[in-house]
Amino acid sequence: AVGDGAAAEAGARAALGRDAHHHRANRLLARLLLERSGAMGVQAGKPFAVDQPLVEEAIGALRRAVAVRPDDDEADWLHVAAVATLVQVGMASDGVLREGARAAWARLHRHPKDAVAASVIGFHVYRRDRLVLASWLNQRFRRRFTAAEVAREHELGIWTMLRADDAFFRALPPVETVLEGMAPLEIRFDPEPEPRTEPVVFFCCDDVYFRRFAPALLESLAERMPGATVAVHVVTPSPETEQAMARWRDDGRLRVGFSADRPDMAGWTDIKRVTYYASARFIRALQWLRRLDRPMMVIDTDARIARDLRSLKTEMAGHDVGFLFDGRRRGPSREITVCFNVYNNTPGGDRFLSLLGAYTAHFLAGAEVYWMLDQMAHYAVLDWLKRHEPVRVHRFDFLNFPYCDFVGAK
């Protein structure tokens, strides 16, 4: 009552010492532990620090509270939300997730539009490597919402972009059809010739991101990878950006290529524009791969180079694609982190990028498209190819990748 959390926690623990199933004491202890753990302050894209043992202790207390009072909606919701948070920050054990999914199923019967409960079920099915089932469940759940409601629910929007069923993939048009419907690729200039075995570093962004981040990335490339081939694609570049790229062409420290496109974005939402920049870059990477017939290393514009990426071509020998995997199993939109990818100039590399382009174009062509489409698409395409077509994948560890420095908390 007076805001003394430590005293309240001590009182709750004392009550539980006398009766381990005391409903109010369990609920109070759980809320205090969650507040102290940092889990209630986690926000997408923001640095966070979560105390996993405290959250797990809180989950145990919430389960006891709900067991005594199944009608305690607050404790029920906190349990499911805490499990969802643990998954998203990479701290949920299979056991915690399994029990959370059981609670989430029960909660959905009482609250059929609880997006957090649905996401916990999706995380559990994904952990069992049953992406087709996760996709089917999500499609059924999605029908309960309007487009405006989906747009307000970040996690629901992400799951909306998961498709893993055979019918969806077989109905996707060839990437050549996709390219015909996009703004044409405008090649400003090609890089100087280099052997086909040497990889090309590729990045893509809009004009604002170029001015904000590209100069530092290009400088780090020139410092760490002198003489490397770099292809840059900018959506609707300004005259100043065109001039900056012309200067880099004449600089001599890098072999630089430059392209652009100018899509008509009239009427697009902000999230669709941002998602276009993030996702269409892989379609442009495919066009550059075919143009140069060289391995493509796609990197985030706001990254920095720490070591020469060309040394990775030895590790990539015999593979079609190379991805950064997050071993914490945080969900299908977070397991492959697309801040750095490699696509070899092999039939498998071309096939992956082609299917990826068709997948992302399906969502970009509609009204409902959300952030993290590029990462969800990579995971879904890889899952489908592993089940139907051979693709040779090299796994890089996202949490221990010394070649680049990336923006954002891990």
Side-chain angles (χ1 to χ4, degrees):
V2 296
D4 189 339
E9 184 176 327
R13 291 189 184 279
L16 291 172
R18 294 187 293 272
D19 177 6
H21 299 286
H22 192 292
H23 168 254
R24 289 179 61 194
N26 272 305
R27 184 175 66 175
L28 174 61
L29 177 63
R31 177 169 281 282
L32 292 166
L33 291 174
L34 288 175
E35 290 175 353
R36 190 153 62 87
S37 72
M40 300 183 81
V42 172
Q43 298 180 36
K46 304 292 184 181
F48 58 82
V50 175
D51 189 318
Q52 180 181 354
L54 287 183
V55 180
E56 291 183 347
E57 185 182 358
I59 288 173
L62 290 166
R63 289 176 59 192
R64 292 191 297 273
V66 174
V68 174
R69 288 276 304 277
D71 62 337
D72 186 341
D73 194 63
E74 179 189 11
D76 184 39
W77 180 83
L78 280 174
H79 175 201
V80 173
V83 172
T85 297
L86 275 188
V87 176
Q88 292 162 358
V89 301
M91 295 180 179
S93 67
D94 289 345
V96 166
L97 180 53
R98 182 174 57 251
E99 293 301 320
R102 289 175 181 168
W105 274 116
R107 182 166 179 79
L108 274 184
H109 287 301
R110 297 187 299 274
H111 301 276
K113 295 179 72 170
D114 190 316
V116 177
S119 70
V120 169
I121 294 168
F123 289 136
H124 176 56
V125 176
Y126 141 82
R127 281 273 187 99
R128 295 165 59 198
D129 294 318
R130 300 187 64 185
L131 209 64
V132 175
L133 176 58
S135 172
W136 179 76
L137 288 171
N138 175 73
Q139 290 176 69
R140 287 188 59 191
F141 182 67
R142 165 64 185 83
R143 298 188 191 110
R144 303 175 186 181
F145 297 86
T146 65
E149 288 174 324
V150 175
R152 289 195 296 267
E153 292 279 357
H154 174 69
E155 195 69 31
L156 178 57
I158 292 174
W159 283 96
T160 293
M161 298 181 296
L162 171 62
R163 293 297 300 270
D165 53 288
D166 289 355
F168 172 81
F169 275 92
R170 288 174 179 148
L172 289 175
V175 73
E176 288 74 19
T177 303
V178 170
L179 291 171
E180 290 173 2
M182 294 181 66
L185 178 71
E186 304 171 13
I187 300 294
R188 295 292 196 265
F189 48 84
D190 283 308
E192 295 179 13
E194 200 178 9
R196 288 177 53 202
T197 56
E198 289 300 308
V200 179
V201 178
F202 173 84
F203 67 89
C204 166
C205 56
D206 70 330
D207 195 71
V208 174
Y209 243 56
F210 181 91
R211 294 196 305 270
R212 183 177 177 186
F213 294 111
L217 173 57
L218 287 165
E219 284 293 343
S220 72
L221 283 162
E223 179 182 349
R224 304 290 184 179
M225 299 176 60
T229 300
V230 180
V232 181
H233 181 87
V234 180
V235 181
T236 315
S238 63
E240 292 77 14
T241 293
E242 301 259 11
Q243 294 166 10
M245 286 307 305
R247 288 193 295 271
W248 273 103
R249 177 186 56 186
D250 300 333
D251 181 274
R253 290 178 291 168
L254 297 168
R255 295 179 170 90
V256 179
F258 179 44
S259 63
D261 68 335
R262 297 181 181 274
D264 181 3
M265 295 186 175
W268 285 19
T269 62
D270 288 341
I271 190 63
K272 183 170 182 176
R273 282 195 294 271
V274 172
T275 303
Y276 176 87
Y277 305 141
S279 301
R281 58 179 164 158
F282 297 102
I283 302 175
R284 302 311 184 187
L286 172 65
Q287 292 176 291
W288 272 106
L289 183 146
R290 290 177 172 180
R291 186 177 184 86
L292 300 179
D293 193 19
R294 305 256 300 277
M296 302 297 294
M297 294 180 167
V298 181
I299 189 170
D300 278 358
T301 308
D302 55 10
R304 301 291 180 272
I305 306 302
R307 298 184 187 180
D308 194 331
L309 294 168
R310 290 172 292 192
S311 62
L312 292 176
K313 68 180 182 181
T314 302
E315 294 186 47
M316 284 301 301
H319 297 90
D320 298 308
V321 293
F323 300 134
L324 287 176
F325 282 86
D326 190 333
R328 296 171 294 180
R329 310 256 15 225
R330 300 190 300 145
S333 66
R334 298 175 176 90
E335 184 158 331
I336 297 178
T337 55
V338 295
C339 39
F340 176 80
N341 294 357
V342 186
Y343 307 91
N344 267 340
N345 51 333
T346 62
D350 186 288
R351 172 61 173 155
F352 191 101
L353 273 174
S354 298
L355 195 57
L356 183 74
Y359 187 108
T360 55
H362 169 84
F363 291 96
L364 289 170
E368 291 186 285
V369 60
Y370 305 100
W371 187 239
M372 297 178 80
L373 168 62
D374 49 354
Q375 297 196 166
M376 181 70 85
H378 272 82
Y379 192 82
V381 168
L382 180 59
D383 176 82
W384 193 85
L385 285 175
K386 286 193 299 185
R387 288 186 282 114
H388 296 283
E389 301 176 22
V391 58
R392 301 168 299 173
V393 183
H394 189 286
R395 301 172 67 96
F396 297 103
D397 183 0
F398 169 62
L399 295 176
N400 185 29
F401 188 70
Y403 289 87
C404 302
D405 296 319
F406 303 112
V407 173
K410 291 185 177 182

